[in-house]
């Protein structure tokens, strides 16, 4: 078990005081079987009224509403968690899903819904062909297939940290041959969806105490990975950036259909078009 502290600070700076519109915050770690949330505090400067809700995916979402103008906005999130995920998990996959292709039950297919639908166009079937290349035969071991696609992402795409907002489309990532962790996650999810799997994006933090994992230069950082639904095993965690399976080094905050739904801090302001100066993000993940 790892006892972990996460400090996530986002700072916006403006040339002069602006009217801050409501900001949406997704910063609270998502509790589960392998993660226990011991405490979590969010502080916002200037002072704001913060209210909490739960979105359609079961994520904790806060909304900060401001009553005063400001030229600096700071959002501080501090969480303490216990992470107990196994380093080498064993999955009890249902016999009906041990080999690919398999069929989800009618209930599973209905419940997966949009999580099994592709989110990006692929008119030339480039992504579909790329994903199909990992299928060894008409009866392929399901877990091996998922591992092979995850390894295929990181072996064919060069990792590059990118501070700019937004995410590449899967075909852009394939064409360019490089991407960030969120580009890797989107490519993987769309690839397995093209084969008929239900999958979702996960955003959160990478715990990297030995500083050997991609996606972080220090002990931790924000990170993106994926989960694939396999009957019997349920949601299986895969991190294509590091070719890993299971959540031993991963602290989830949000699970979503699309990466754009998992932005940690999002909002707007009313002011001059040149008012915005910068946004700085500092993340410290430590024991």
């Amino acid at each position: 078990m790892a006892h972990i502290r996460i400090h996530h600070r986002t700072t916006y700076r403006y040339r002069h005081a602006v009217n801050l519109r409501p900001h949406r915050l997704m910063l609270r770690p998502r509790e589960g079987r392998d993660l226990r949330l011991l405490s979590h505090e969010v502080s916002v400067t200037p002072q704001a009224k913060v209210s909490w809700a739960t979105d359609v995916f079961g994520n904790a979402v806060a909304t900060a509403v401001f009553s005063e103008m400001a030229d600096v906005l700071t959002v501080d999130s501090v969480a303490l968690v216990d992470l107990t995920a196994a380093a080498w998990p064993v999955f009890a996959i249902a016999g009906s899903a041990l080999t690919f292709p398999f069929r989800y039950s009618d209930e599973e297919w209905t419940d997966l819904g949009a999580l099994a639908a592709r989110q990006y166009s692929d008119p030339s079937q480039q992504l579909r062909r790329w994903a199909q290349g990992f299928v060894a035969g008409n009866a392929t071991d399901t877990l091996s297939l998922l591992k092979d696609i995850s390894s295929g992402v990181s072996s064919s795409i060069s990792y590059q940290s990118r501070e700019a907002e937004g995410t590449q489309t899967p075909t852009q990532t394939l064409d360019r041959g490089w991407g960030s962790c969120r580009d890797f996650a989107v490519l993987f999810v769309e690839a397995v969806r093209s084969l008929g799997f239900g999958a979702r994006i996960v955003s959160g933090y990478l715990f990297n105490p030995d500083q050997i994992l991609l996606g972080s230069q220090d002990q931790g950082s924000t990170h993106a990975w994926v989960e694939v639904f396999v009957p019997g095993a349920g949601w299986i965690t895969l991190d294509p950036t590091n070719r890993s399976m299971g959540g031993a080094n991963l602290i989830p905050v949000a699970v979503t259909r699309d990466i754009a739904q998992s932005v940690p801090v999002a909002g707007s302001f009313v002011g001059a078009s040149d008012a915005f100066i910068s946004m700085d993000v500092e993340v410290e993940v430590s024991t």
Side-chain angles (χ1 to χ4, degrees):
M1 179 177 70
H3 186 66
I4 302 168
R5 179 180 186 270
I6 305 128
H7 183 194
H8 186 160
R9 172 178 290 176
T10 305
T11 305
Y12 295 89
R13 292 183 173 84
Y14 306 92
R15 299 186 191 283
H16 51 76
V18 298
N19 270 312
L20 297 166
R21 304 297 297 160
H23 278 58
R24 180 176 182 269
L25 315 177
M26 295 187 73
L27 297 163
R28 181 184 174 89
R30 185 180 170 101
E31 290 191 88
R33 185 180 66 254
D34 299 326
L35 188 139
R36 180 186 177 198
L37 180 61
L38 303 177
S39 65
H40 180 239
E41 294 183 4
V42 171
S43 59
V44 182
T45 306
Q47 187 174 359
K49 179 181 179 181
V50 178
S51 58
W52 289 89
T54 303
D55 70 7
V56 69
F57 302 107
N59 304 310
V61 181
T63 301
V65 178
F66 303 88
S67 58
E68 60 184 278
M69 300 176 67
D71 58 2
V72 177
L73 166 61
T74 302
V75 179
D76 254 314
S77 170
V78 178
L80 294 176
V81 304
D82 280 340
L83 182 63
T84 60
W88 304 102
V90 177
F91 301 103
I93 297 175
S96 61
L98 284 172
T99 58
F100 174 87
F102 64 86
R103 185 183 183 278
Y104 289 118
S105 70
D106 291 343
E107 291 80 6
E108 289 168 339
W109 189 251
T110 298
D111 292 336
L112 287 169
L115 296 177
R118 297 170 66 178
Q119 307 297 309
Y120 297 85
S121 63
D122 184 26
S124 66
Q125 297 297 302
Q126 177 187 7
L127 177 63
R128 166 70 179 178
R129 290 194 303 271
W130 183 83
Q132 192 66 43
F134 294 96
V135 180
N138 191 43
T140 298
D141 181 78
T142 299
L143 201 57
S144 295
L145 172 60
L146 295 175
K147 290 179 179 179
D148 289 346
I149 296 175
S150 178
S151 296
V153 171
S154 54
S155 62
S156 58
I157 308 298
S158 298
Y159 174 79
Q160 289 188 19
S161 176
R162 194 174 75 255
E163 297 299 328
E165 295 183 8
T167 306
Q168 297 174 172
T169 68
T171 53
Q172 284 176 332
T173 301
L174 288 175
D175 290 339
R176 293 172 179 175
W178 56 266
S180 66
C181 63
R182 58 187 184 271
D183 302 317
F184 282 34
V186 169
L187 173 59
F188 180 93
V189 161
E190 286 292 287
V192 297
R193 283 174 177 166
S194 76
L195 297 177
F197 287 95
R200 59 191 187 183
I201 298 282
V202 189
S203 66
Y205 303 99
L206 175 68
F207 177 49
N208 188 17
D210 299 324
Q211 301 184 35
I212 59 174
L213 300 174
L214 290 176
S216 173
Q217 295 180 349
D218 299 308
Q219 290 190 39
S221 67
T222 55
H223 197 53
W225 60 97
V226 302
E227 291 179 349
V228 180
F229 187 80
V230 178
W235 291 104
I236 293 179
T237 299
L238 297 109
D239 179 7
T241 301
N242 290 293
R243 306 187 187 189
S244 63
M245 180 174 285
N249 291 84
L250 302 171
I251 303 161
V253 168
V255 298
T256 57
R257 168 182 52 81
D258 187 271
I259 190 75
Q261 299 170 310
S262 62
V263 177
V265 179
S268 61
F269 68 92
V270 177
S273 58
D274 65 345
F276 177 76
I277 297 176
S278 65
M279 178 189 76
D280 299 308
V281 178
E282 302 170 75
V283 176
E284 180 183 351
V285 183
S286 59
T287 53

